[in-house]
């Protein structure tokens, strides 16, 4: 038997799983199975918790690639200081709900049409290379617009304990720190509106001490680059990296401690700061529900075969950037909190052995027709999964 991750406290009440006051079964009866549900009130509570923990000079940005579902975006946008996008498609979604002055566009390989769309709209481009900077300046010149440009820095350190390292090595992301001051001077000389630095050292860290240390190093690096460049920008984006507890033994980041430490580090600074988060804001408020279609035995093991799987929840199957496959929190929706009575694997309908939502977990007896809940489904779920693979219908997503 293998353990599952911890069920988020808001859904861990023993008995039938209820989401915003209605049972999982009720929601699926109305909207079909499989189904993604996002609890807006929980998202709002998380934003408020973080806002209270952070110093006033630090803006909260939402990295929309974690969940670009438009109703969710519309709910989050007015409650955060900015939206971070990574494609022209995301830019369009962000512009529908937020003023361009509070949108930044990061990511390598921005095409000319994408640079132009951002410059025309007045969004900030987080430049990933000198080549991209040159193209942005040329496009802005042709349009007769002063572009809002920030420089993404490839720092010489990485966020310890992060599931996805984004610094400290040769990288497609950002300009190596040593070359940044020269690029900033060039942008300022060209008449661009230089907005600041974007420094992102890693993702999915649950190590509070490491986050505190990385933020301090990031602030220090930004100050040093500012001094070397000889110009002070309005905003320094410190990246994010706050993880969520997906797996057994994981514990949440202590955001109060992070906020207090950051307040000390930035004391006296005259520019604003931002942190940009995706999963920390939206993963826990999301639940994915899938119905058991078949129950079968093979080689002494029991399989619950469901109508949902890897094509919607790639990350839960361990195929989205994890080295060792571990179980997400997965439960029988009508019986949360009871001790398991049998060991089962929860699999999806795709013709690949990768399609496994839970591997040899202990559950109360489940049968055909039962609903299985996969938690932490609010980030990197449907939009980060190959939903066209095998041609099953796209599941509904609802914001409640
Ligand atoms: C993906 C991404 C984020 C969000 O990462 P999370 O782990 O979801 O918080 C933030 N900033 C940038 C630049 C990203 O690419």
């Amino acid at each position: 038997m293998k353990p599952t991750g911890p069920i988020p406290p808001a859904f861990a009440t023993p008995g039938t799983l209820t989401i915003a006051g209605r049972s999982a079964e009720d929601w699926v009866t109305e909207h079909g199975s499989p189904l993604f549900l996002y609890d807006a009130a929980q998202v709002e509570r998380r934003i408020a918790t973080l806002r209270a923990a952070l110093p006033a000079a630090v803006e909260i940005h939402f990295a929309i690639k974690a969940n670009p579902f438009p109703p969710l975006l519309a709910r989050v946008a007015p409650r955060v200081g900015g939206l971070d996008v990574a494609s022209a498609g995301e830019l369009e979604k962000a512009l529908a709900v937020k003023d361009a002055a509070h949108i930044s566009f990061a990511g390598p390989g921005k095409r000319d049409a994408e640079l132009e769309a951002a410059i025309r709209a007045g969004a900030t481009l987080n430049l990933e290379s000198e080549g991209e900077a040159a193209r942005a300046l040329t496009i802005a010149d042709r349009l007769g617009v002063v572009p809002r440009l920030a420089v993404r820095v490839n720092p010489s350190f990485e966020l310890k304990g992060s599931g996805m390292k984004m610094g400290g090595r040769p990288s497609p992301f950002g300009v190596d720190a040593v070359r940044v001051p020269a690029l900033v001077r060039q942008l300022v000389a060209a008449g661009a509106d230089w907005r600041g630095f974007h420094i992102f050292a890693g993702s999915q860290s649950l190590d509070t001490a490491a986050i505190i240390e990385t933020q301090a190093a990031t602030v220090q690096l930004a100050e040093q680059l500012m001094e070397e460049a000889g110009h002070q920008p309005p905003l320094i984006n410190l990246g994010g990296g706050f993880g969520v507890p997906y797996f057994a033994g994981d514990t949440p980041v202590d955001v109060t401690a992070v906020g207090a430490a950051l307040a000390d580090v930035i004391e006296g600074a005259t520019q604003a700061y931002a942190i940009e988060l995706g999963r920390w804001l939206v993963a826990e408020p999301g639940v994915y529900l899938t119905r058991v279609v078949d129950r079968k035995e093979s080689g002494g093991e029991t399989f619950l075969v469901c109508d949902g799987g890897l094509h919607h929840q790639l990350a839960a199957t361990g195929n989205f950037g994890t080295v060792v496959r571990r179980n997400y929190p997965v439960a029988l929706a009508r019986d949360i909190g009871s001790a398991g009575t049998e060991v089962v694997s929860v699999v999806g309908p795709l013709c690949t052995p990768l399609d496994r939502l839970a591997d040899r977990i202990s559950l109360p007896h489940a049968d055909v027709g039962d609903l299985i809940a996969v938690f932490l489904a609010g980030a990197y779920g449907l939009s980060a999964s190959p939903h066209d693979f095998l041609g099953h219908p796209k599941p509904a997503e609802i914001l409640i």
Side-chain angles (χ1 to χ4, degrees):
M1 191 196 96
K2 296 184 179 172
T4 52
I7 296 176
F11 298 119
T13 310
T16 295
L17 173 63
T18 55
I19 303 145
R22 281 177 74 190
S23 73
E25 192 60 53
D26 259 14
W27 288 116
V28 168
T29 301
E30 188 176 336
H31 298 277
S33 166
L35 177 65
F36 281 92
L37 298 115
Y38 312 122
D39 184 339
Q42 281 191 46
V43 175
E44 288 173 9
R45 277 200 295 279
R46 292 184 74 79
I47 295 171
T49 300
L50 187 62
R51 188 59 277 162
L54 291 174
V58 178
E59 297 176 5
I60 299 169
H61 289 191
F62 177 49
I64 84 168
K65 76 171 186 291
N67 192 331
F69 183 53
L72 179 78
L73 267 189
R75 199 65 168 251
V76 170
R79 294 170 172 82
V80 296
L83 298 178
D84 291 309
V85 305
S87 71
E90 286 191 354
L91 175 64
E92 205 174 308
K93 284 185 168 164
L95 284 168
V97 292
K98 195 92 182 155
D99 190 85
H102 303 289
I103 297 173
S104 54
F105 185 170
K110 298 182 198 74
R111 284 165 284 178
D112 285 355
E114 294 182 304
L115 296 173
E116 178 166 339
I119 291 168
R120 273 188 194 280
T124 297
L125 285 165
N126 289 330
L127 300 169
E128 305 278 352
S129 73
E130 287 95 345
E132 194 171 88
R135 287 191 291 127
L137 289 172
T138 303
I139 290 165
D141 203 37
R142 170 165 58 74
L143 297 175
V145 175
V146 175
R148 297 164 72 93
L149 304 177
V151 175
R152 180 156 176 189
V153 180
N154 176 25
S156 52
F157 49 82
E158 66 189 15
L159 172 54
K160 279 193 218 109
S162 65
M164 219 172 289
K165 297 183 168 46
M166 307 287 280
R169 58 185 68 195
S171 172
F173 309 106
V175 176
D176 292 350
V178 291
R179 298 207 308 270
V180 166
L183 178 58
V184 168
R185 283 194 293 270
Q186 190 196 329
L187 296 176
V188 173
D193 180 2
W194 178 51
R195 304 303 301 167
F197 296 119
H198 176 219
I199 309 177
F200 185 74
S203 245
Q204 179 49 22
S205 177
L206 292 170
D207 184 340
T208 301
I211 291 173
I212 288 173
E213 192 186 313
T214 301
Q215 285 189 337
T218 305
V219 169
Q220 197 182 16
L221 174 61
E223 282 171 357
Q224 180 198 327
L225 293 174
M226 224 156 69
E227 200 171 304
E228 283 173 33
H231 298 280
Q232 187 188 6
L235 184 76
I236 293 167
N237 183 329
L238 300 172
F242 299 12
V244 291
Y246 287 113
F247 307 119
D250 283 357
T251 51
V253 175
D254 180 351
V255 294
T256 305
V258 170
L262 189 55
D264 282 347
V265 167
I266 66 170
E267 209 196 325
T270 50
Q271 67 281 349
Y273 289 86
I275 59 168
E276 53 178 10
L277 299 174
R279 74 186 80 224
W280 193 90
L281 296 174
V282 295
E284 283 191 36
V287 181
Y288 177 65
L289 297 172
T290 175
R291 209 181 276 291
V292 178
V293 175
D294 192 17
R295 179 189 161 99
K296 62 174 283 187
E297 312 285 329
S298 171
E301 292 192 21
T302 302
F303 293 87
L304 302 176
V305 188
C306 298
D307 58 7
L310 167 158
H311 53 316
H312 304 155
Q313 261 298 3
L314 185 67
T317 66
N319 293 295
F320 191 63
T322 33
V323 181
V324 180
R325 193 209 172 288
R326 286 179 291 171
N327 289 316
Y328 267 41
V330 170
L332 178 60
R334 63 170 164 74
D335 196 359
I336 301 288
S338 285
T341 55
E342 60 179 10
V343 174
V344 298
S345 288
V346 180
V347 302
L350 304 193
C351 305
T352 160
L354 300 178
D355 193 4
R356 190 172 284 239
L357 290 169
D359 186 36
R360 283 169 282 168
I361 62 170
S362 174
L363 279 190
H365 183 91
D367 240 317
V368 171
D370 272 325
L371 287 175
I372 299 292
V374 180
F375 296 97
L376 295 162
Y380 304 106
L382 188 58
S383 71
S385 302
H387 45 79
D388 286 338
F389 185 42
L390 270 82
H392 290 286
K394 216 170 155 186
E397 292 180 280
I398 55 171
L399 180 80
I400 48 182

